Amino acid sequence: MGYPKGIVSESEKVVEHKHPHVKMLFVPILTGLVVLGGGGWLAVLARDLDEPWDMVTLIAIGAVGLIALIWLVIAPIARWRTTHFIVTTERVISREGVFKRTGIDIPMNRINSVRFEHSLADRILGCGSLIIESASEQALEYDDIPSVEQVHSAIYFQVSENEYADDPTEDA
């Protein structure tokens, strides 16, 4: 899935586009397997009940299982899929959310510093946190960015390019 249409102007080029690392999906997928396994086990136990309670129990198990799957599995996967971190030649763009969308754009010329952090587990998985300090008072932290060092370098390069493009002494 590409980034949301209409957020990148014709004059800018996308340098990096990332979704959060797939490690965010480990718990929802594991939860889905537990819900399906537990529901199947309870359905087998419900066969031993007398009529009509066996059917009532199966319907209740199915309804609770479906709600659990939607809430604990499908919703996190949809959130992951609709979360975008985009670096263009002019700005850093972050968009997230399914029903309630939130986003922030940081122009490259407003970025003061960019750094990354990753634990040993993050290094093994190839992701980390990206911290962008801009003209605002509080630094913005983006967690679970895949190839965080590559994204860090891309942002740093674009910030440097924009500094030189705005510097009138470089025309000589």
Side-chain angles (χ1 to χ4, degrees), residues 58-105:
L58 286 175
I59 291 171
I61 291 169
V64 170
L66 182 62
I67 291 169
L69 285 174
I70 290 170
W71 188 266
L72 301 171
V73 179
I74 295 173
I77 291 172
R79 269 192 304 276
W80 173 82
R81 193 74 179 128
T82 57
T83 299
H84 302 271
F85 185 81
I86 305 164
V87 178
T88 72
T89 53
E90 298 178 14
R91 59 192 167 140
V92 173
I93 304 168
S94 173
R95 297 286 187 272
E96 61 184 57
V98 179
F99 297 114
K100 178 187 172 195
R101 299 282 294 162
T102 58
I104 188 167
D105 296 4

mmCIF file of all heavy atoms in Angstrom, residues 58-105:
data_model
loop_
_atom_site.group_PDB
_atom_site.id
_atom_site.type_symbol
_atom_site.label_atom_id
_atom_site.label_comp_id
_atom_site.label_asym_id
_atom_site.label_seq_id
_atom_site.Cartn_x
_atom_site.Cartn_y
_atom_site.Cartn_z
ATOM 1 N N LEU A 58 -22.401 -22.484 21.422
ATOM 2 C CA LEU A 58 -21.596 -22.304 20.204
ATOM 3 C C LEU A 58 -21.755 -20.901 19.632
ATOM 4 O O LEU A 58 -20.773 -20.289 19.190
ATOM 5 C CB LEU A 58 -21.968 -23.356 19.162
ATOM 6 C CG LEU A 58 -21.470 -24.768 19.428
ATOM 7 C CD1 LEU A 58 -22.014 -25.727 18.382
ATOM 8 C CD2 LEU A 58 -19.965 -24.808 19.461
ATOM 9 N N ILE A 59 -22.979 -20.387 19.647
ATOM 10 C CA ILE A 59 -23.207 -19.026 19.140
ATOM 11 C C ILE A 59 -22.487 -18.014 20.028
ATOM 12 O O ILE A 59 -21.849 -17.075 19.525
ATOM 13 C CB ILE A 59 -24.720 -18.734 19.038
ATOM 14 C CG1 ILE A 59 -25.344 -19.590 17.918
ATOM 15 C CG2 ILE A 59 -24.969 -17.247 18.783
ATOM 16 C CD1 ILE A 59 -26.855 -19.546 17.868
ATOM 17 N N ALA A 60 -22.563 -18.195 21.339
ATOM 18 C CA ALA A 60 -21.882 -17.281 22.259
ATOM 19 C C ALA A 60 -20.368 -17.344 22.070
ATOM 20 O O ALA A 60 -19.699 -16.304 22.048
ATOM 21 C CB ALA A 60 -22.250 -17.615 23.708
ATOM 22 N N ILE A 61 -19.820 -18.546 21.936
ATOM 23 C CA ILE A 61 -18.379 -18.697 21.711
ATOM 24 C C ILE A 61 -17.975 -18.015 20.411
ATOM 25 O O ILE A 61 -16.971 -17.300 20.345
ATOM 26 C CB ILE A 61 -17.981 -20.187 21.699
ATOM 27 C CG1 ILE A 61 -18.131 -20.789 23.100
ATOM 28 C CG2 ILE A 61 -16.547 -20.371 21.184
ATOM 29 C CD1 ILE A 61 -18.025 -22.309 23.121
ATOM 30 N N GLY A 62 -18.772 -18.216 19.370
ATOM 31 C CA GLY A 62 -18.482 -17.592 18.078
ATOM 32 C C GLY A 62 -18.547 -16.075 18.137
ATOM 33 O O GLY A 62 -17.688 -15.377 17.579
ATOM 34 N N ALA A 63 -19.561 -15.534 18.832
ATOM 35 C CA ALA A 63 -19.708 -14.078 18.931
ATOM 36 C C ALA A 63 -18.546 -13.464 19.718
ATOM 37 O O ALA A 63 -17.957 -12.461 19.289
ATOM 38 C CB ALA A 63 -21.037 -13.725 19.593
ATOM 39 N N VAL A 64 -18.219 -14.065 20.865
ATOM 40 C CA VAL A 64 -17.112 -13.542 21.667
ATOM 41 C C VAL A 64 -15.801 -13.665 20.893
ATOM 42 O O VAL A 64 -14.970 -12.751 20.890
ATOM 43 C CB VAL A 64 -17.030 -14.263 23.028
ATOM 44 C CG1 VAL A 64 -15.745 -13.916 23.763
ATOM 45 C CG2 VAL A 64 -18.241 -13.915 23.884
ATOM 46 N N GLY A 65 -15.598 -14.796 20.218
ATOM 47 C CA GLY A 65 -14.384 -14.990 19.425
ATOM 48 C C GLY A 65 -14.270 -13.982 18.296
ATOM 49 O O GLY A 65 -13.188 -13.440 18.041
ATOM 50 N N LEU A 66 -15.382 -13.701 17.617
ATOM 51 C CA LEU A 66 -15.364 -12.735 16.521
ATOM 52 C C LEU A 66 -15.045 -11.337 17.031
ATOM 53 O O LEU A 66 -14.217 -10.618 16.439
ATOM 54 C CB LEU A 66 -16.707 -12.739 15.791
ATOM 55 C CG LEU A 66 -16.815 -11.816 14.580
ATOM 56 C CD1 LEU A 66 -15.808 -12.227 13.503
ATOM 57 C CD2 LEU A 66 -18.221 -11.825 14.036
ATOM 58 N N ILE A 67 -15.667 -10.945 18.135
ATOM 59 C CA ILE A 67 -15.378 -9.630 18.713
ATOM 60 C C ILE A 67 -13.911 -9.545 19.130
ATOM 61 O O ILE A 67 -13.231 -8.541 18.885
ATOM 62 C CB ILE A 67 -16.323 -9.341 19.902
ATOM 63 C CG1 ILE A 67 -17.749 -9.129 19.391
ATOM 64 C CG2 ILE A 67 -15.848 -8.122 20.689
ATOM 65 C CD1 ILE A 67 -18.807 -9.107 20.472
ATOM 66 N N ALA A 68 -13.405 -10.601 19.751
ATOM 67 C CA ALA A 68 -11.993 -10.612 20.176
ATOM 68 C C ALA A 68 -11.063 -10.524 18.968
ATOM 69 O O ALA A 68 -10.057 -9.800 19.008
ATOM 70 C CB ALA A 68 -11.695 -11.867 20.992
ATOM 71 N N LEU A 69 -11.379 -11.243 17.903
ATOM 72 C CA LEU A 69 -10.537 -11.188 16.702
ATOM 73 C C LEU A 69 -10.538 -9.793 16.082
ATOM 74 O O LEU A 69 -9.486 -9.282 15.672
ATOM 75 C CB LEU A 69 -10.987 -12.228 15.678
ATOM 76 C CG LEU A 69 -10.628 -13.668 15.980
ATOM 77 C CD1 LEU A 69 -11.253 -14.606 14.957
ATOM 78 C CD2 LEU A 69 -9.122 -13.861 16.023
ATOM 79 N N ILE A 70 -11.707 -9.173 16.016
ATOM 80 C CA ILE A 70 -11.779 -7.830 15.436
ATOM 81 C C ILE A 70 -11.006 -6.840 16.299
ATOM 82 O O ILE A 70 -10.211 -6.043 15.800
ATOM 83 C CB ILE A 70 -13.248 -7.389 15.261
ATOM 84 C CG1 ILE A 70 -13.908 -8.209 14.148
ATOM 85 C CG2 ILE A 70 -13.346 -5.897 14.954
ATOM 86 C CD1 ILE A 70 -15.407 -8.025 14.043
ATOM 87 N N TRP A 71 -11.224 -6.887 17.614
ATOM 88 C CA TRP A 71 -10.623 -5.920 18.538
ATOM 89 C C TRP A 71 -9.120 -6.119 18.715
ATOM 90 O O TRP A 71 -8.355 -5.165 18.760
ATOM 91 C CB TRP A 71 -11.333 -6.038 19.888
ATOM 92 C CG TRP A 71 -10.936 -4.975 20.863
ATOM 93 C CD1 TRP A 71 -9.966 -5.070 21.821
ATOM 94 C CD2 TRP A 71 -11.465 -3.675 20.979
ATOM 95 N NE1 TRP A 71 -9.869 -3.905 22.520
ATOM 96 C CE2 TRP A 71 -10.795 -3.024 22.026
ATOM 97 C CE3 TRP A 71 -12.461 -2.984 20.291
ATOM 98 C CZ2 TRP A 71 -11.086 -1.727 22.404
ATOM 99 C CZ3 TRP A 71 -12.750 -1.689 20.680
ATOM 100 C CH2 TRP A 71 -12.067 -1.081 21.718
ATOM 101 N N LEU A 72 -8.712 -7.382 18.841
ATOM 102 C CA LEU A 72 -7.326 -7.667 19.214
ATOM 103 C C LEU A 72 -6.407 -8.028 18.041
ATOM 104 O O LEU A 72 -5.191 -8.040 18.203
ATOM 105 C CB LEU A 72 -7.294 -8.801 20.249
ATOM 106 C CG LEU A 72 -8.054 -8.527 21.552
ATOM 107 C CD1 LEU A 72 -8.122 -9.787 22.391
ATOM 108 C CD2 LEU A 72 -7.423 -7.381 22.301
ATOM 109 N N VAL A 73 -6.994 -8.352 16.884
ATOM 110 C CA VAL A 73 -6.165 -8.774 15.752
ATOM 111 C C VAL A 73 -6.353 -7.845 14.547
ATOM 112 O O VAL A 73 -5.389 -7.250 14.058
ATOM 113 C CB VAL A 73 -6.472 -10.241 15.356
ATOM 114 C CG1 VAL A 73 -5.625 -10.663 14.169
ATOM 115 C CG2 VAL A 73 -6.258 -11.175 16.536
ATOM 116 N N ILE A 74 -7.563 -7.716 14.074
ATOM 117 C CA ILE A 74 -7.805 -6.958 12.849
ATOM 118 C C ILE A 74 -7.534 -5.465 13.048
ATOM 119 O O ILE A 74 -6.902 -4.824 12.198
ATOM 120 C CB ILE A 74 -9.229 -7.211 12.323
ATOM 121 C CG1 ILE A 74 -9.339 -8.682 11.912
ATOM 122 C CG2 ILE A 74 -9.568 -6.293 11.166
ATOM 123 C CD1 ILE A 74 -10.724 -9.134 11.536
ATOM 124 N N ALA A 75 -7.972 -4.899 14.179
ATOM 125 C CA ALA A 75 -7.746 -3.464 14.434
ATOM 126 C C ALA A 75 -6.250 -3.122 14.492
ATOM 127 O O ALA A 75 -5.822 -2.153 13.851
ATOM 128 C CB ALA A 75 -8.468 -3.030 15.701
ATOM 129 N N PRO A 76 -5.408 -3.875 15.237
ATOM 130 C CA PRO A 76 -3.972 -3.538 15.226
ATOM 131 C C PRO A 76 -3.323 -3.689 13.842
ATOM 132 O O PRO A 76 -2.451 -2.898 13.479
ATOM 133 C CB PRO A 76 -3.353 -4.526 16.221
ATOM 134 C CG PRO A 76 -4.462 -4.912 17.120
ATOM 135 C CD PRO A 76 -5.693 -4.878 16.270
ATOM 136 N N ILE A 77 -3.761 -4.686 13.079
ATOM 137 C CA ILE A 77 -3.217 -4.849 11.728
ATOM 138 C C ILE A 77 -3.627 -3.660 10.852
ATOM 139 O O ILE A 77 -2.815 -3.129 10.086
ATOM 140 C CB ILE A 77 -3.650 -6.198 11.121
ATOM 141 C CG1 ILE A 77 -2.956 -7.344 11.857
ATOM 142 C CG2 ILE A 77 -3.344 -6.247 9.626
ATOM 143 C CD1 ILE A 77 -3.439 -8.727 11.474
ATOM 144 N N ALA A 78 -4.869 -3.210 10.977
ATOM 145 C CA ALA A 78 -5.329 -2.043 10.207
ATOM 146 C C ALA A 78 -4.577 -0.786 10.625
ATOM 147 O O ALA A 78 -4.199 0.033 9.774
ATOM 148 C CB ALA A 78 -6.833 -1.854 10.386
ATOM 149 N N ARG A 79 -4.339 -0.611 11.949
ATOM 150 C CA ARG A 79 -3.557 0.540 12.413
ATOM 151 C C ARG A 79 -2.143 0.502 11.848
ATOM 152 O O ARG A 79 -1.601 1.520 11.425
ATOM 153 C CB ARG A 79 -3.508 0.562 13.950
ATOM 154 C CG ARG A 79 -4.608 1.358 14.578
ATOM 155 C CD ARG A 79 -4.366 1.608 16.053
ATOM 156 N NE ARG A 79 -4.166 0.405 16.833
ATOM 157 C CZ ARG A 79 -5.131 -0.348 17.337
ATOM 158 N NH1 ARG A 79 -6.381 -0.020 17.148
ATOM 159 N NH2 ARG A 79 -4.851 -1.423 18.045
ATOM 160 N N TRP A 80 -1.534 -0.685 11.852
ATOM 161 C CA TRP A 80 -0.176 -0.819 11.316
ATOM 162 C C TRP A 80 -0.164 -0.456 9.834
ATOM 163 O O TRP A 80 0.715 0.255 9.362
ATOM 164 C CB TRP A 80 0.321 -2.257 11.511
ATOM 165 C CG TRP A 80 1.621 -2.526 10.841
ATOM 166 C CD1 TRP A 80 2.862 -2.231 11.297
ATOM 167 C CD2 TRP A 80 1.810 -3.146 9.566
ATOM 168 N NE1 TRP A 80 3.819 -2.625 10.394
ATOM 169 C CE2 TRP A 80 3.189 -3.193 9.308
ATOM 170 C CE3 TRP A 80 0.940 -3.660 8.612
ATOM 171 C CZ2 TRP A 80 3.717 -3.731 8.155
ATOM 172 C CZ3 TRP A 80 1.464 -4.197 7.457
ATOM 173 C CH2 TRP A 80 2.847 -4.232 7.248
ATOM 174 N N ARG A 81 -1.152 -0.940 9.112
ATOM 175 C CA ARG A 81 -1.190 -0.744 7.665
ATOM 176 C C ARG A 81 -1.445 0.712 7.278
ATOM 177 O O ARG A 81 -1.024 1.163 6.212
ATOM 178 C CB ARG A 81 -2.275 -1.649 7.070
ATOM 179 C CG ARG A 81 -2.228 -1.786 5.596
ATOM 180 C CD ARG A 81 -1.074 -2.672 5.198
ATOM 181 N NE ARG A 81 -1.068 -2.806 3.761
ATOM 182 C CZ ARG A 81 -0.017 -2.575 3.008
ATOM 183 N NH1 ARG A 81 1.119 -2.239 3.544
ATOM 184 N NH2 ARG A 81 -0.081 -2.714 1.716
ATOM 185 N N THR A 82 -2.152 1.444 8.146
ATOM 186 C CA THR A 82 -2.473 2.831 7.816
ATOM 187 C C THR A 82 -1.536 3.829 8.486
ATOM 188 O O THR A 82 -1.811 5.026 8.479
ATOM 189 C CB THR A 82 -3.935 3.156 8.202
ATOM 190 O OG1 THR A 82 -4.118 2.901 9.595
ATOM 191 C CG2 THR A 82 -4.901 2.330 7.383
ATOM 192 N N THR A 83 -0.450 3.348 9.078
ATOM 193 C CA THR A 83 0.558 4.228 9.660
ATOM 194 C C THR A 83 1.695 4.389 8.662
ATOM 195 O O THR A 83 2.253 3.403 8.186
ATOM 196 C CB THR A 83 1.089 3.650 10.994
ATOM 197 O OG1 THR A 83 -0.001 3.537 11.907
ATOM 198 C CG2 THR A 83 2.154 4.541 11.587
ATOM 199 N N HIS A 84 1.992 5.639 8.341
ATOM 200 C CA HIS A 84 3.012 5.937 7.338
ATOM 201 C C HIS A 84 4.036 6.909 7.904
ATOM 202 O O HIS A 84 3.683 7.858 8.597
ATOM 203 C CB HIS A 84 2.385 6.582 6.091
ATOM 204 C CG HIS A 84 1.339 5.748 5.441
ATOM 205 N ND1 HIS A 84 1.618 4.827 4.485
ATOM 206 C CD2 HIS A 84 -0.007 5.684 5.633
ATOM 207 C CE1 HIS A 84 0.504 4.232 4.094
ATOM 208 N NE2 HIS A 84 -0.498 4.734 4.784
ATOM 209 N N PHE A 85 5.288 6.661 7.598
ATOM 210 C CA PHE A 85 6.380 7.592 7.913
ATOM 211 C C PHE A 85 7.091 7.855 6.597
ATOM 212 O O PHE A 85 7.661 6.941 6.002
ATOM 213 C CB PHE A 85 7.334 6.987 8.950
ATOM 214 C CG PHE A 85 8.396 7.939 9.385
ATOM 215 C CD1 PHE A 85 8.118 8.895 10.345
ATOM 216 C CD2 PHE A 85 9.652 7.911 8.819
ATOM 217 C CE1 PHE A 85 9.084 9.801 10.745
ATOM 218 C CE2 PHE A 85 10.625 8.800 9.209
ATOM 219 C CZ PHE A 85 10.340 9.746 10.176
ATOM 220 N N ILE A 86 7.018 9.092 6.145
ATOM 221 C CA ILE A 86 7.509 9.437 4.806
ATOM 222 C C ILE A 86 8.539 10.559 4.914
ATOM 223 O O ILE A 86 8.317 11.553 5.607
ATOM 224 C CB ILE A 86 6.342 9.891 3.895
ATOM 225 C CG1 ILE A 86 5.260 8.812 3.858
ATOM 226 C CG2 ILE A 86 6.831 10.226 2.500
ATOM 227 C CD1 ILE A 86 3.934 9.282 3.317
ATOM 228 N N VAL A 87 9.645 10.375 4.229
ATOM 229 C CA VAL A 87 10.654 11.425 4.104
ATOM 230 C C VAL A 87 10.659 11.857 2.644
ATOM 231 O O VAL A 87 10.816 11.033 1.747
ATOM 232 C CB VAL A 87 12.060 10.911 4.511
ATOM 233 C CG1 VAL A 87 13.095 12.008 4.329
ATOM 234 C CG2 VAL A 87 12.057 10.379 5.931
ATOM 235 N N THR A 88 10.444 13.151 2.431
ATOM 236 C CA THR A 88 10.518 13.684 1.070
ATOM 237 C C THR A 88 11.692 14.649 0.998
ATOM 238 O O THR A 88 12.382 14.867 1.986
ATOM 239 C CB THR A 88 9.219 14.423 0.678
ATOM 240 O OG1 THR A 88 9.141 15.661 1.386
ATOM 241 C CG2 THR A 88 7.986 13.581 0.950
ATOM 242 N N THR A 89 11.877 15.238 -0.151
ATOM 243 C CA THR A 89 12.958 16.198 -0.316
ATOM 244 C C THR A 89 12.692 17.499 0.437
ATOM 245 O O THR A 89 13.618 18.272 0.666
ATOM 246 C CB THR A 89 13.165 16.510 -1.804
ATOM 247 O OG1 THR A 89 11.902 16.902 -2.369
ATOM 248 C CG2 THR A 89 13.723 15.307 -2.542
ATOM 249 N N GLU A 90 11.433 17.724 0.863
ATOM 250 C CA GLU A 90 11.088 18.984 1.524
ATOM 251 C C GLU A 90 10.644 18.848 2.974
ATOM 252 O O GLU A 90 10.695 19.820 3.723
ATOM 253 C CB GLU A 90 9.986 19.696 0.733
ATOM 254 C CG GLU A 90 10.413 20.072 -0.664
ATOM 255 C CD GLU A 90 9.299 20.732 -1.457
ATOM 256 O OE1 GLU A 90 8.284 21.129 -0.855
ATOM 257 O OE2 GLU A 90 9.443 20.835 -2.677
ATOM 258 N N ARG A 91 10.170 17.643 3.384
ATOM 259 C CA ARG A 91 9.618 17.515 4.728
ATOM 260 C C ARG A 91 9.575 16.057 5.185
ATOM 261 O O ARG A 91 9.766 15.142 4.394
ATOM 262 C CB ARG A 91 8.223 18.121 4.794
ATOM 263 C CG ARG A 91 7.253 17.479 3.824
ATOM 264 C CD ARG A 91 5.990 18.284 3.695
ATOM 265 N NE ARG A 91 5.240 17.798 2.540
ATOM 266 C CZ ARG A 91 3.941 17.651 2.501
ATOM 267 N NH1 ARG A 91 3.211 17.976 3.545
ATOM 268 N NH2 ARG A 91 3.350 17.209 1.428
ATOM 269 N N VAL A 92 9.315 15.894 6.472
ATOM 270 C CA VAL A 92 9.065 14.588 7.063
ATOM 271 C C VAL A 92 7.573 14.546 7.367
ATOM 272 O O VAL A 92 7.028 15.471 7.980
ATOM 273 C CB VAL A 92 9.877 14.387 8.354
ATOM 274 C CG1 VAL A 92 9.490 13.101 9.047
ATOM 275 C CG2 VAL A 92 11.370 14.398 8.058
ATOM 276 N N ILE A 93 6.921 13.477 6.938
ATOM 277 C CA ILE A 93 5.469 13.356 7.072
ATOM 278 C C ILE A 93 5.163 12.113 7.894
ATOM 279 O O ILE A 93 5.714 11.044 7.642
ATOM 280 C CB ILE A 93 4.797 13.222 5.686
ATOM 281 C CG1 ILE A 93 5.178 14.397 4.792
ATOM 282 C CG2 ILE A 93 3.288 13.095 5.828
ATOM 283 C CD1 ILE A 93 4.809 14.200 3.335
ATOM 284 N N SER A 94 4.266 12.253 8.849
ATOM 285 C CA SER A 94 3.796 11.119 9.635
ATOM 286 C C SER A 94 2.270 11.125 9.607
ATOM 287 O O SER A 94 1.645 12.150 9.877
ATOM 288 C CB SER A 94 4.295 11.226 11.080
ATOM 289 O OG SER A 94 3.722 10.223 11.871
ATOM 290 N N ARG A 95 1.671 9.994 9.260
ATOM 291 C CA ARG A 95 0.217 9.835 9.249
ATOM 292 C C ARG A 95 -0.114 8.510 9.915
ATOM 293 O O ARG A 95 0.534 7.502 9.665
ATOM 294 C CB ARG A 95 -0.342 9.813 7.826
ATOM 295 C CG ARG A 95 -0.129 11.083 7.038
ATOM 296 C CD ARG A 95 -1.050 12.192 7.527
ATOM 297 N NE ARG A 95 -0.973 13.357 6.680
ATOM 298 C CZ ARG A 95 -0.115 14.345 6.814
ATOM 299 N NH1 ARG A 95 0.798 14.291 7.759
ATOM 300 N NH2 ARG A 95 -0.140 15.385 6.018
ATOM 301 N N GLU A 96 -1.150 8.517 10.750
ATOM 302 C CA GLU A 96 -1.567 7.269 11.374
ATOM 303 C C GLU A 96 -3.047 7.334 11.706
ATOM 304 O O GLU A 96 -3.612 8.409 11.848
ATOM 305 C CB GLU A 96 -0.746 6.963 12.625
ATOM 306 C CG GLU A 96 -0.832 7.980 13.721
ATOM 307 C CD GLU A 96 0.088 7.664 14.879
ATOM 308 O OE1 GLU A 96 1.303 7.546 14.644
ATOM 309 O OE2 GLU A 96 -0.408 7.528 15.993
ATOM 310 N N GLY A 97 -3.651 6.157 11.823
ATOM 311 C CA GLY A 97 -5.041 6.053 12.220
ATOM 312 C C GLY A 97 -5.910 5.481 11.125
ATOM 313 O O GLY A 97 -5.609 5.594 9.943
ATOM 314 N N VAL A 98 -6.986 4.841 11.563
ATOM 315 C CA VAL A 98 -7.953 4.261 10.638
ATOM 316 C C VAL A 98 -9.165 5.175 10.548
ATOM 317 O O VAL A 98 -9.461 5.730 9.499
ATOM 318 C CB VAL A 98 -8.376 2.841 11.087
ATOM 319 C CG1 VAL A 98 -9.397 2.242 10.141
ATOM 320 C CG2 VAL A 98 -7.160 1.931 11.197
ATOM 321 N N PHE A 99 -9.875 5.340 11.654
ATOM 322 C CA PHE A 99 -11.062 6.193 11.670
ATOM 323 C C PHE A 99 -10.700 7.616 12.066
ATOM 324 O O PHE A 99 -11.175 8.571 11.480
ATOM 325 C CB PHE A 99 -12.112 5.626 12.628
ATOM 326 C CG PHE A 99 -12.593 4.269 12.201
ATOM 327 C CD1 PHE A 99 -12.322 3.159 12.960
ATOM 328 C CD2 PHE A 99 -13.299 4.101 11.020
ATOM 329 C CE1 PHE A 99 -12.744 1.910 12.571
ATOM 330 C CE2 PHE A 99 -13.730 2.861 10.608
ATOM 331 C CZ PHE A 99 -13.451 1.755 11.388
ATOM 332 N N LYS A 100 -9.870 7.753 13.068
ATOM 333 C CA LYS A 100 -9.384 9.063 13.487
ATOM 334 C C LYS A 100 -7.951 9.203 12.976
ATOM 335 O O LYS A 100 -7.044 8.578 13.484
ATOM 336 C CB LYS A 100 -9.407 9.184 15.004
ATOM 337 C CG LYS A 100 -8.879 10.502 15.504
ATOM 338 C CD LYS A 100 -8.761 10.518 17.011
ATOM 339 C CE LYS A 100 -8.048 11.780 17.434
ATOM 340 N NZ LYS A 100 -7.600 11.702 18.806
ATOM 341 N N ARG A 101 -7.788 10.000 11.945
ATOM 342 C CA ARG A 101 -6.459 10.187 11.351
ATOM 343 C C ARG A 101 -5.735 11.329 12.054
ATOM 344 O O ARG A 101 -6.326 12.362 12.348
ATOM 345 C CB ARG A 101 -6.573 10.522 9.861
ATOM 346 C CG ARG A 101 -7.225 9.474 9.005
ATOM 347 C CD ARG A 101 -6.350 8.332 8.675
ATOM 348 N NE ARG A 101 -5.239 8.739 7.831
ATOM 349 C CZ ARG A 101 -4.153 8.029 7.677
ATOM 350 N NH1 ARG A 101 -4.015 6.890 8.282
ATOM 351 N NH2 ARG A 101 -3.179 8.440 6.906
ATOM 352 N N THR A 102 -4.463 11.121 12.338
ATOM 353 C CA THR A 102 -3.614 12.172 12.867
ATOM 354 C C THR A 102 -2.361 12.238 12.005
ATOM 355 O O THR A 102 -1.959 11.239 11.402
ATOM 356 C CB THR A 102 -3.216 11.917 14.333
ATOM 357 O OG1 THR A 102 -2.538 10.671 14.419
ATOM 358 C CG2 THR A 102 -4.427 11.902 15.241
ATOM 359 N N GLY A 103 -1.772 13.399 11.975
ATOM 360 C CA GLY A 103 -0.564 13.541 11.176
ATOM 361 C C GLY A 103 0.214 14.768 11.572
ATOM 362 O O GLY A 103 -0.300 15.677 12.221
ATOM 363 N N ILE A 104 1.457 14.750 11.175
ATOM 364 C CA ILE A 104 2.329 15.898 11.404
ATOM 365 C C ILE A 104 3.304 15.983 10.235
ATOM 366 O O ILE A 104 3.754 14.969 9.710
ATOM 367 C CB ILE A 104 3.078 15.803 12.759
ATOM 368 C CG1 ILE A 104 3.827 17.089 13.051
ATOM 369 C CG2 ILE A 104 3.988 14.602 12.799
ATOM 370 C CD1 ILE A 104 4.314 17.201 14.476
ATOM 371 N N ASP A 105 3.582 17.190 9.824
ATOM 372 C CA ASP A 105 4.573 17.461 8.779
ATOM 373 C C ASP A 105 5.644 18.359 9.397
ATOM 374 O O ASP A 105 5.320 19.345 10.061
ATOM 375 C CB ASP A 105 3.953 18.195 7.592
ATOM 376 C CG ASP A 105 2.904 17.366 6.870
ATOM 377 O OD1 ASP A 105 2.606 16.257 7.321
ATOM 378 O OD2 ASP A 105 2.381 17.849 5.854
#
